[in-house]
């Protein structure tokens, strides 16, 4: 039996056909399909500008470059994310300042954020941006984040890699409404896939022009002179290919269907766990809807006197490969060596990390398999034979 993992892509014959068509066309890369994908993303997200790039990490890296982050700058972010959210700060020489999360949602804690900004301002630090994520696909408190960013004149970035298809007050175009810049990833575990791929969307023309320039070495073409080009800034080759964009266009058509199915799966989990005294589900405020990139639950292993690793091993024996999202970024040895942050400053993140596991959720997870997962998890906990 193959292992059931936490997430994976779903492709159909239409996807394959769309990619095939471009593979037989004149442009594998730097062709017209990239702009078409960008246009579709803009209309899906209600944004004026979009730059598609080679992956979500490249999107974050280029954004830091375009915003001219440098040594001495502080970028505020969350420790409960994939390392890329914070690595992009280090690429520019700036320094990340982590804020504790809200244990109930996994998103950045507004109260802690306000305190952190006050403290940094007192120390006369240059706070250049706040990067928050929509943990698991559940939107953070963006109306409040926007207020804070406006009041303090700090750029607000949504690393929205989890949340393509989520909504606030039924508005699926909330991301650029509240944040100045939004980044996406189209890795196979995300809402839609292009294999590797990413994008930055915004309503900022100037920054978008920079991003388009920086994704192709910082080179600008001269329209009056056919052969002339000039490198103005040091950029990278972070281009996405035309056949990846063809896949993206085709996948985007299925986004609604994908999210609907993920929501149905989530509702079945919700029902199974909502009254379970040992399992806590993620709090999603009623005015928000999640894209359900993840289905995280928290189990108080300490109270149950279980070892989390043994729990994982037991479930693996049943063919279920659980995951943890995330190991707090400051706990990685690179970050420890560089910043040596104290765990006691992140009490909610620590508690969350000790308890959280991600259950399988993806488009073609069958109901039968899901009920199997639920029963194995419940049995393993209730028998309390994990040790
Ligand atoms: C997936 C992800 C990224 C990185 O995207 P890649 O396309 O894998 O480079 C960044 N941030 C978050 C929150 C992600 O989930």
């Amino acid at each position: 039996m193959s292992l059931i993992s936490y997430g994976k892509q779903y492709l159909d014959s239409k996807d394959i056909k769309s990619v095939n068509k471009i593979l037989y066309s004149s442009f594998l890369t730097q062709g017209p399909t990239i702009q078409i994908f960008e246009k579709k993303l803009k209309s899906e997200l209600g944004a004026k500008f979009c730059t598609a790039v080679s992956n979500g990490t490249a999107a974050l890296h280029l954004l830091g470059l375009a915003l001219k982050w440098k040594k001495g700058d502080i970028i505020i972010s969350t420790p409960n994310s994939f390392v890329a959210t914070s690595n992009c700060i280090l690429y520019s020489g700036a320094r990340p300042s982590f804020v504790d999360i809200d244990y109930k949602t996994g998103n950045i804690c507004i109260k802690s954020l306000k305190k952190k900004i006050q403290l940094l301002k007192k120390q006369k630090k240059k706070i250049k941006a706040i990067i928050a994520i929509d943990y698991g696909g559940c939107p953070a408190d963006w109306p409040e984040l926007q207020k804070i960013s406006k009041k303090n004149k700090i750029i607000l970035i949504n690393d929205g890699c989890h949340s393509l298809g989520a909504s606030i007050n039924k508005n699926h175009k909330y991301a650029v409404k509240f944040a100045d810049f939004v980044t996406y990833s189209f890795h196979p575990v995300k809402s839609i896939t292009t294999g590797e791929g990413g994008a930055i969307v915004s309503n900022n023309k100037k920054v978008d022009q920079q991003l388009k320039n920086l994704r192709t070495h910082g080179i600008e073409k001269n329209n009056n002179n056919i052969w002339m080009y000039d490198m103005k800034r040091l950029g990278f080759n972070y281009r996405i290919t035309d056949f990846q964009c063809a896949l993206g266009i085709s996948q985007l058509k299925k986004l609604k269907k994908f999210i609907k199915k993920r929501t149905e799966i989530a509702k079945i989990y919700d029902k199974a766990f909502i009254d379970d005294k040992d399992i806590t589900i993620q709090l999603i405020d009623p005015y928000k809807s999640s894209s359900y990139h993840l289905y995280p639950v928290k189990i108080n292993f300490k109270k149950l006197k279980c070892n989390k690793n043994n729990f994982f091993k037991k479930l693996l024996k049943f063919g279920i490969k659980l995951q943890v999202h995330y190991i707090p970024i400051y706990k990685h040895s690179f970050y420890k060596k560089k910043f040596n942050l104290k765990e006691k400053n992140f009490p909610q993140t620590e508690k969350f990390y000790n308890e959280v596991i991600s259950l399988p959720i993806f488009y073609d997870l069958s109901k039968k398999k899901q009920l199997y997962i639920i029963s194995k998890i419940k049995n393993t906990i209730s028998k309390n034979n994990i040790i």
Side-chain angles (χ1 to χ4, degrees):
M1 193 174 77
S2 66
L3 290 176
I4 313 172
S5 70
Y6 85 90
K8 64 169 180 171
Q9 74 280 13
Y10 178 81
L11 270 78
D12 63 15
S13 60
K14 281 186 184 156
D15 292 323
I16 311 285
K17 240 182 166 164
S18 308
V19 175
N20 252 334
K21 201 177 137 202
I22 299 302
L23 287 176
Y24 283 115
S25 78
S26 311
F27 290 101
L28 295 187
T29 188
Q30 294 179 280
T33 316
I34 295 157
Q35 261 189 44
I36 300 171
F37 183 41
E38 288 172 341
K39 211 173 148 199
K40 302 270 179 199
L41 282 170
K42 280 191 286 189
S43 97
E44 175 66 37
L45 297 159
K48 285 195 186 131
F49 304 99
C50 173
T51 298
V53 293
S54 51
N55 57 67
T57 308
L60 287 160
H61 183 187
L62 288 190
L63 191 52
L65 268 177
L67 296 175
K68 301 194 167 69
W69 296 345
K70 56 181 189 305
K71 197 165 184 259
D73 292 343
I74 300 273
I75 318 293
I76 294 175
S77 192
T78 170
N80 187 34
S81 184
F82 183 54
V83 288
T85 307
S86 161
N87 287 351
C88 72
I89 301 164
L90 302 179
Y91 296 153
S92 69
R95 191 188 171 98
S97 175
F98 295 113
V99 166
D100 203 8
I101 60 162
D102 177 347
Y103 170 79
K104 288 189 183 131
T105 63
N107 281 322
I108 198 163
C109 170
I110 297 293
K111 218 172 121 191
S112 306
L113 174 65
K114 284 180 177 167
K115 263 196 207 155
K116 178 70 92 178
I117 291 174
Q118 266 184 356
L119 180 75
L120 289 168
K121 280 190 144 178
K122 225 183 248 167
Q123 298 170 342
K124 303 262 187 273
K125 302 274 192 204
K126 279 188 220 139
I127 313 171
K128 279 292 169 76
I130 300 166
I131 311 177
I133 72 162
D134 292 331
Y135 174 76
C138 169
D141 195 347
W142 289 104
E144 198 57 42
L145 287 169
Q146 189 185 43
K147 264 190 223 156
I148 294 169
S149 103
K150 287 218 160 119
K151 188 180 156 210
N152 294 285
K153 297 193 172 56
I154 304 171
I155 286 172
L156 185 59
I157 297 168
N158 181 347
D159 176 2
C161 288
H162 291 187
S163 54
L164 185 63
S167 72
I168 293 183
N169 291 325
K170 296 205 161 47
N171 183 0
H172 290 272
K173 300 175 177 174
Y174 72 91
V176 277
K177 193 173 157 228
F178 294 112
D180 298 301
F181 303 96
V182 188
T183 60
Y184 290 100
S185 162
F186 310 119
H187 182 277
V189 295
K190 311 290 162 89
S191 301
I192 64 162
T193 191
T194 59
E196 297 282 356
I200 310 105
V201 301
S202 74
N203 291 322
N204 189 319
K205 188 175 179 180
K206 216 170 132 196
V207 171
D208 189 70
Q209 279 172 344
Q210 287 279 319
L211 292 167
K212 289 199 165 74
N213 175 247
L214 289 164
R215 85 173 152 185
T216 181
H217 310 280
I219 284 174
E220 256 170 47
K221 293 231 167 89
N222 183 333
N223 288 335
N224 300 321
N225 192 332
I226 297 169
W227 54 268
M228 181 60 87
Y229 62 90
D230 183 31
M231 198 190 106
K232 290 224 160 79
R233 285 187 69 187
L234 184 61
F236 293 82
N237 178 355
Y238 279 165
R239 293 187 299 256
I240 189 168
T241 65
D242 282 63
F243 54 95
Q244 287 174 301
C245 288
L247 180 55
I249 294 164
S250 175
Q251 285 263 304
L252 200 53
K253 288 182 190 153
K254 290 185 275 278
L255 177 64
K256 255 204 187 113
K257 188 170 98 170
F258 285 166
I259 302 299
K260 186 166 172 269
K261 182 65 194 292
R262 282 176 178 272
T263 306
E264 282 164 18
I265 293 169
K267 294 300 159 216
I268 294 172
Y269 278 140
D270 284 351
K271 215 172 138 205
F273 299 127
I274 195 137
D275 293 324
D276 194 308
K277 67 176 187 352
D278 297 319
I279 300 175
T280 316
I281 63 174
Q282 184 183 23
L283 171 73
I284 299 170
D285 288 320
Y287 70 97
K288 297 173 184 170
S289 81
S290 177
S291 61
Y292 290 109
H293 165 57
L294 301 173
Y295 192 90
V297 296
K298 284 165 285 182
I299 299 171
N300 194 334
F301 293 101
K302 222 186 220 164
K303 196 181 110 203
L304 293 170
K305 295 191 172 61
C306 308
N307 177 305
K308 191 167 175 174
N309 194 33
N310 288 339
F311 181 78
F312 271 60
K313 277 189 196 158
K314 198 124 209 169
L315 270 294
L316 200 55
K317 274 191 193 146
F318 296 127
I320 303 161
K321 194 166 179 280
L322 299 172
Q323 271 286 358
V324 171
H325 294 95
Y326 287 94
I327 297 162
I329 296 176
Y330 55 76
K331 281 180 123 68
H332 288 282
S333 49
F334 179 86
Y335 280 86
K336 260 198 174 144
K337 243 191 241 162
K338 209 167 161 65
F339 303 112
N340 193 25
L341 298 177
K342 304 222 167 15
E343 283 155 5
K344 71 167 180 10
N345 292 335
F346 306 95
Q348 299 202 69
T349 308
E350 286 292 315
K351 184 170 162 58
F352 187 92
Y353 166 57
N354 287 329
E355 298 178 4
V356 80
I357 60 172
S358 292
L359 303 187
I361 187 162
F362 46 87
Y363 181 75
D364 57 356
L365 178 66
S366 71
K367 183 151 184 197
K368 194 175 151 204
K369 274 207 173 137
Q370 198 190 353
L371 295 177
Y372 169 80
I373 295 163
I374 291 168
S375 82
K376 290 300 173 203
I377 288 191
K378 286 201 170 218
N379 278 342
T380 309
I381 292 175
S382 69
K383 280 188 194 140
N384 204 3
N385 55 3
I386 316 153
I387 307 182

